[in-house]
Amino acid sequence: MTKSVGVHEPTAPEGRGKGELEAEILAALHRAAPEALTPGEVRELLDGRLAYTTVVTGLSRLHDKGLLKRSKRGRAFAYAPVADESGLAARQMRKVLDGRRDREAVLTHFVDELSADDEELLRRLLDTGQ
């Protein structure tokens, strides 16, 4: 087997756990909201320490997961979150719930693990129809 010639760029730089790059990119986009950013602009927000292609890959994955929307800006795409941070958390919770057969069991366990304050907040939200 021959070794390919060229520069190899790992998709997750050393020391970064799975999903950390996407979390950093998403956090940078939330800080810039509501402005959509190009991969180069995101790279600058991340101190320019990542390769441009790494940032593009992270943005593309987040877009494929439905967490980012994109629009054409010049020769590149500009990306923005589809929702604010609390909206994204709610989407993730819904996705987990939708992926389970026994929704009642999932919701029961969720409510059982809430703090008393969070349980009261949930009751108020349900009572007011929000």
Side-chain angles (χ1 to χ4, degrees):
M1 177 184 262
T2 61
K3 200 174 186 180
S4 62
V5 178
V7 176
H8 172 70
E9 178 186 290
T11 55
E14 198 172 315
R16 181 175 279 117
K18 184 179 180 182
E20 285 183 50
L21 172 62
E22 291 176 8
E24 286 181 45
I25 290 172
L26 203 50
L29 287 168
H30 279 291
R31 287 191 302 271
E35 183 182 349
L37 301 178
T38 64
E41 292 166 335
V42 172
R43 183 175 181 267
E44 287 177 25
L45 284 177
L46 299 174
D47 301 325
R49 68 187 189 283
L50 298 172
Y52 180 85
T53 55
T54 301
V55 175
V56 169
T57 298
L59 289 165
S60 296
R61 288 181 179 164
L62 288 165
H63 177 262
D64 291 345
K65 292 177 181 180
L67 299 175
L68 299 180
K69 55 188 172 186
R70 69 181 179 192
S71 57
K72 199 76 164 141
R73 190 193 301 160
R75 293 176 35 198
F77 283 110
Y79 295 84
V82 296
D84 62 12
E85 291 184 75
S86 59
L88 286 175
R91 286 173 58 108
Q92 290 171 327
M93 292 167 65
R94 178 62 186 257
K95 187 175 180 180
V96 168
L97 185 60
D98 288 347
R100 303 301 186 267
R101 290 183 188 172
D102 191 348
R103 297 170 72 90
E104 183 176 346
V106 173
L107 288 170
T108 298
H109 286 290
F110 177 75
V111 171
D112 285 346
E113 294 182 22
L114 290 176
S115 68
D117 290 342
D118 286 341
E119 187 174 340
E120 180 58 34
L121 174 59
L122 182 58
R123 285 182 195 284
R124 281 197 320 265
L125 292 171
L126 291 171
D127 288 343
T128 61
Q130 291 184 346

